């Protein structure tokens, strides 16, 4: 029986190590070197499974130094992010391991009345009870970290990529409270479980609460930025629609006036040349993109003009009458971000390879949008941005995806033979 419990203990302990390692690598980015990753997992067991006793300064301080060195060596990122990882997970690991060890010991001694030192002589039954209590405590620890992972996983990954330096400094300061509390309470109040246990529990929840707080701050600022961006888009396109209506109303009269002047001017070469120049300047309005949606007309016209200025061959075949159920700002988010990314990718190519094709049409009960562009043969698998300021610029594809999913649609991306294809399918209500 003891052998069976030992096997269970081994499985529970390494299961916990894996969960802890996975949580930490979600918060920080591991270095890419494979041997380093394997070594990082192996060494994480020393930190995760450290046994801490009351008044145990060596293990308390040694684990702190080891944790800091481990994060610095095996993980990438700014020092604020690494400091935050230590301040969050060190108190939680120490508190959970201390509670597991101390409560298990008190429970065993209370049940059996055995001497505190096994060298003084334990019976076979006492060994069995000790092993059973230890196994149960390891199972509870594993369940605790699994529960923590299920709660925290939606917050961990998004934090590190979006918080600014000042935000990280604020979060690190807040995290000092549970960090200092767990260190001092275990070292200076060894014989007061009525005080130690609640403070250990509070430190754990405070540490994890800081993760939620950081995520909340990040989401709030992103939401504020998105709202500001969408408001600017809305005002911009309202102005553009008014300008387009005015220009298009003038165009027809202007064209008739030029035809009349041309007829009256006879063969005057200077006059004819001036008329031809004027006709060329307004020619672009004759080839106006009619998509079936006035708002989308403006977007396509703007992006086509931007592509022309960057010497990109731009082609649009769009029938968007069926897309009237999509809100104007979502149309802007979908087409604007898709075409901005295509233009940005095309700029990196030689002029003879710069090509963007946009197609949109109704296919049965689906609205299908396809954006294709030539691109570099190798792309990074990220949905953010290649720009340095990820907090300001990192919302393009995620915003597009959110706008599509708002209408129960989905996006597919494909890179094949130097051609990047973005395919969007949205069901028509």
């Amino acid at each position: 029986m003891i052998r069976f419990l030992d096997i269970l203990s081994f499985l529970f302990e390494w299961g916990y190590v894996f969960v802890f390692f996975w949580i930490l690598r979600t918060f920080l980015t591991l270095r890419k070197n494979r041997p380093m990753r394997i070594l990082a997992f192996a060494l994480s067991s020393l930190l995760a499974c450290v046994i801490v006793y009351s008044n145990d300064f060596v293990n308390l301080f040694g684990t702190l130094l080891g944790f800091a060195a481990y994060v610095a060596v095996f993980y990438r990122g700014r020092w604020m992010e690494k400091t935050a990882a230590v301040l969050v997970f060190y108190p939680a690991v120490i508190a959970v391991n201390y509670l597991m060890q101390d409560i298990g010991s008190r429970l065993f001694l209370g049940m059996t009345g055995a001497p505190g030192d096994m060298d003084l002589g334990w019976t076979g039954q006492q060994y069995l009870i000790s092993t059973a209590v230890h196994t149960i405590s390891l199972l509870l620890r594993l369940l605790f970290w699994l529960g923590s992972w299920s709660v925290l996983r939606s917050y961990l990954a998004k934090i590190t990529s979006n918080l600014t330096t000042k935000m990280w400094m604020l979060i690190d300061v807040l995290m000092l409270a549970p960090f200092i509390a767990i260190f001092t309470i275990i070292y200076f109040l060894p014989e007061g479980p009525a005080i130690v246990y609640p403070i250990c529990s509070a430190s754990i929840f405070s540490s994890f609460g800081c993760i939620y707080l950081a995520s909340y701050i990040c989401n709030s600022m992103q939401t504020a930025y998105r709202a500001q961006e969408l408001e600017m888009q809305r005002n911009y396109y309202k102005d553009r629609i008014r300008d387009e209506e005015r220009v298009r109303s003038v165009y027809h009269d202007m064209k008739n006036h030029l035809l009349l002047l041309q007829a009256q001017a006879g063969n005057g070469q200077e006059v004819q040349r001036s008329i031809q120049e004027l006709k060329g300047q307004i020619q672009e309005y004759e080839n106006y993109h009619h998509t079936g949606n006035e708002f989308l007309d403006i977007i396509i016209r703007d992006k086509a003009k931007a592509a022309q200025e960057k010497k990109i061959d731009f082609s649009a075949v769009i029938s968007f009458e069926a897309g009237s159920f999509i809100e104007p700002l979502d149309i802007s988010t979908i087409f604007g971000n898709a075409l901005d990314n295509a233009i940005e990718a095309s700029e990196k190519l030689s002029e003879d390879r710069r090509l963007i094709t946009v197609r949109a049409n109704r296919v049965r009960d689906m609205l299908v949008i396809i954006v294709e562009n030539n691109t570099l043969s190798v792309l990074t698998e990220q949905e953010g941005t290649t720009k340095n300021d990820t907090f300001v610029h990192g919302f393009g594809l995620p915003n597009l995806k959110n706008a599509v999913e708002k209408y129960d649609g989905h996006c597919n991306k494909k890179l094949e033979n130097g051609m990047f294809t973005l395919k969007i399918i949205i069901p028509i209500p």
Side-chain angles (χ1 to χ4, degrees):
M1 186 63 181
I2 292 179
R3 177 63 177 169
F4 174 71
L5 291 175
D6 285 338
I7 293 174
L8 284 181
S9 297
F10 176 82
L11 295 176
F12 292 155
E13 188 157 35
W14 278 100
Y16 153 63
V17 170
F18 177 79
V19 173
F20 174 76
F21 175 75
W22 194 262
I23 292 176
L24 190 58
R25 76 176 295 276
T26 304
F27 188 78
L28 295 175
T29 303
L30 269 172
R31 299 194 184 277
K32 294 183 179 181
N33 185 281
R34 185 177 293 274
M36 289 279 284
R37 293 189 172 195
I38 296 173
L39 184 60
F41 174 72
L43 292 180
S44 67
S45 63
L46 300 178
L47 298 172
C49 299
V50 64
I51 301 300
V52 178
Y53 299 94
S54 298
N55 232 163
D56 187 0
F57 179 80
V58 173
N59 270 349
L60 278 171
F61 192 68
T63 302
L64 173 60
L65 293 179
F67 207 146
Y70 171 78
V71 168
V73 171
F74 293 102
Y75 291 87
R76 294 181 292 165
R78 294 171 292 176
W79 67 268
M80 300 86 66
E81 300 168 12
K82 295 181 178 181
T83 301
V86 175
L87 294 178
V88 167
F89 294 107
Y90 171 82
V93 168
I94 294 298
V96 171
N97 288 0
Y98 174 81
L99 290 174
M100 177 196 72
Q101 177 70 22
D102 197 68
I103 293 175
S105 297
R106 291 176 183 276
L107 182 63
F108 166 72
L109 295 175
M111 291 172 58
T112 63
D117 188 350
M118 70 174 67
D119 293 334
L120 298 178
W122 284 3
T123 65
Q125 183 179 13
Q126 288 171 339
Y127 274 112
L128 178 61
I129 293 175
S130 174
T131 306
V133 170
H134 179 65
T135 303
I136 292 172
S137 65
L138 291 177
L139 173 60
L140 293 176
R141 182 175 66 175
L142 173 60
L143 293 176
F144 169 81
W145 284 100
L146 283 172
S148 300
W149 164 242
S150 65
V151 173
L152 297 175
R153 63 181 178 180
S154 60
Y155 306 115
L156 286 172
K158 70 179 68 172
I159 295 175
T160 54
S161 61
N162 293 315
L163 288 182
T164 63
T165 301
K166 290 183 179 180
M167 293 181 202
W168 272 117
M169 293 180 67
L170 173 62
I171 296 299
D172 287 349
V173 170
L174 293 176
M175 290 176 179
L176 280 174
F179 172 83
I180 294 174
I182 198 66
F183 193 97
T184 55
I185 197 67
I186 292 178
Y187 183 70
F188 290 107
L189 293 174
E191 301 300 330
I195 299 175
V196 174
Y197 292 177
I199 293 181
C200 284
S201 302
S203 295
I204 295 170
F205 288 108
S206 296
S207 296
F208 292 164
C210 287
I211 294 176
Y212 172 79
L213 176 62
S215 176
Y216 179 80
I217 293 174
C218 179
N219 285 337
S220 297
M221 296 200 67
Q222 287 182 357
T223 301
Y225 171 77
R226 290 191 186 105
Q228 182 182 15
E229 183 185 51
L230 290 176
E231 181 66 19
M232 291 173 62
Q233 286 182 351
R234 187 178 71 87
N235 292 335
Y236 169 75
Y237 284 117
K238 282 174 64 177
D239 292 340
R240 293 293 294 169
I241 288 174
R242 285 195 295 266
D243 291 342
E244 289 293 333
E245 289 174 349
R246 179 179 59 81
V247 172
R248 291 172 66 184
S249 65
V250 170
Y251 163 71
H252 296 288
D253 292 337
M254 178 70 73
K255 185 177 180 181
N256 291 331
H257 294 332
L258 288 174
L259 291 174
L260 180 60
L261 286 172
Q262 192 173 23
Q264 294 175 346
N267 295 322
Q269 292 183 356
E270 290 297 328
V271 175
Q272 288 291 339
R273 185 162 54 250
S274 298
I275 291 174
Q276 291 300 327
E277 288 178 0
L278 286 173
K279 288 175 68 176
Q281 291 175 8
I282 65 172
Q283 186 71 31
E284 59 181 299
Y285 290 95
E286 196 166 51
N287 299 323
Y288 193 85
H289 291 282
H290 296 281
T291 66
N293 182 289
E294 290 186 356
F295 199 80
L296 183 55
D297 289 348
I298 304 301
I299 297 172
I300 297 300
R301 174 172 162 74
D302 261 9
K303 302 308 177 185
K305 184 178 180 181
Q308 183 181 10
E309 292 173 352
K310 299 177 186 297
K311 298 182 180 180
I312 301 170
D313 187 2
F314 185 92
S315 173
V317 181
I318 300 174
S319 178
F320 210 70
E321 292 86 352
S324 59
F325 65 94
I326 302 179
E327 296 178 7
L329 288 181
D330 292 325
I331 293 175
S332 172
T333 299
I334 294 170
F335 282 91
N337 285 313
L339 293 174
D340 283 343
N341 289 339
I343 291 172
E344 183 179 347
S346 298
E347 286 184 276
K348 300 174 183 177
L349 304 175
S350 59
E351 292 185 10
D352 60 317
R353 292 194 59 212
R354 296 181 183 180
L355 172 66
I356 298 174
T357 303
V358 189
R359 289 173 286 157
N361 205 345
R362 176 174 184 158
V363 180
R364 296 184 181 178
D365 293 330
M366 296 290 178
L367 190 62
V368 180
I369 303 167
I370 299 175
V371 180
E372 295 177 313
N373 61 275
N374 289 329
T375 187
L376 298 175
S377 58
V378 178
L379 290 178
T380 55
E381 289 294 328
Q382 62 180 19
E383 289 195 344
T385 178
T386 58
K387 300 180 178 69
N388 293 328
D389 192 350
T390 58
F391 188 77
V392 176
H393 294 288
F395 302 122
L397 285 178
N399 277 358
L400 186 154
K401 184 178 179 182
N402 291 336
V404 171
E405 291 176 349
K406 177 179 175 180
Y407 300 94
D408 297 323
H410 66 274
C411 307
N412 288 324
K413 296 180 293 182
K414 182 176 70 173
L415 176 59
E416 190 175 59
N417 298 325
M419 173 69 74
F420 180 79
T421 302
L422 174 65
K423 186 174 184 179
I424 299 169
I425 300 177
I426 302 175
I428 300 173

